[in-house]
Amino acid sequence: RGAGKTTLLGALCWELPAATRTVVIEDTPELPVAPLQRRGRDVQPLRTETGDGPGLAPAEALRTALRLGEGALVVGEVRGEEAAVLYEAMRVGAGASAVLGTIHGDGGEDVRERVVSDLDVPASSFATTDLVVTMATVDEDGEQRRRVAAIEEVVDHGGKPGFETLYRI
């Protein structure tokens, strides 16, 4: 918590090609949808229900986004039943040009365990993940700074997803 996952995700939204239609799914609006729209980006927000107002169920919001066709899909936080829908869509190639999201975990193995064991996503579906980027709060000269702690590529290790470290602080 507080390591900078959502901040990094917001920055990555700006790096998507300007012509890419982007669907942003969040329960609590934190990503820079309005600034992206003001700059002429085709960004459509879908708010999921939180119990305090209107919104779609997370899995239904994801299904709606997938029906819109190619583009980028940004999920504010993967934490529930939408995980199975998201990973199944990626596995069958219906996941769009780019799929980005945040999830709590301390590295690739921890994220895989959370997705596969806690969120009931088949390991074969998790294997469609390209990269796991881990954020961390680090002490620099007595100041707490948020940094990219690791970047791991998901690779096939004999039919089981494994990880190849590309960067680590």
Side-chain angles (χ1 to χ4, degrees):
R1 299 187 192 281
K5 295 180 302 299
T6 302
T7 300
L8 177 61
L9 186 60
L12 290 172
C13 288
W14 287 102
E15 297 303 318
L16 293 167
T20 300
R21 187 188 70 254
T22 304
V23 178
V24 175
I25 300 174
E26 298 181 277
D27 59 2
T28 304
E30 296 179 292
L31 294 170
V33 171
L36 286 160
Q37 290 172 329
R38 282 195 299 273
R39 296 289 290 207
R41 305 290 186 107
D42 182 5
V43 179
Q44 302 303 315
L46 283 177
R47 184 156 185 224
T48 58
E49 60 191 19
T50 59
D52 65 350
L56 299 169
E60 186 56 36
L62 187 54
R63 285 186 189 94
T64 299
L66 292 170
R67 282 193 291 270
L68 295 174
E70 288 299 310
L73 178 59
V74 179
V75 182
E77 185 168 345
V78 177
R79 66 167 86 103
E81 79 249 10
E82 75 279 6
V85 177
L86 175 67
Y87 276 98
E88 181 61 17
M90 290 167 49
R91 190 181 71 75
V92 299
S97 300
V99 178
L100 308 168
T102 68
I103 190 166
H104 289 267
D106 291 326
E109 288 292 342
D110 195 39
V111 168
R112 185 193 59 74
E113 181 67 22
R114 178 162 164 64
V115 169
V116 173
S117 297
D118 298 348
L119 300 177
D120 295 324
V121 171
S124 61
S125 294
F126 177 80
T128 62
T129 304
D130 292 322
L131 297 171
V132 174
V133 178
T134 304
M135 301 295 294
T137 304
V138 297
D139 183 55
E140 291 180 0
D141 301 322
E143 299 273 334
Q144 293 294 309
R145 306 270 190 216
R146 297 182 284 178
R147 298 283 184 250
V148 172
I151 301 173
E152 297 169 274
E153 181 180 13
V154 180
V155 295
D156 182 5
H157 284 169
K160 179 182 176 199
F163 301 92
E164 182 72 35
T165 301
L166 303 177
Y167 169 83
R168 185 169 308 279
I169 58 172

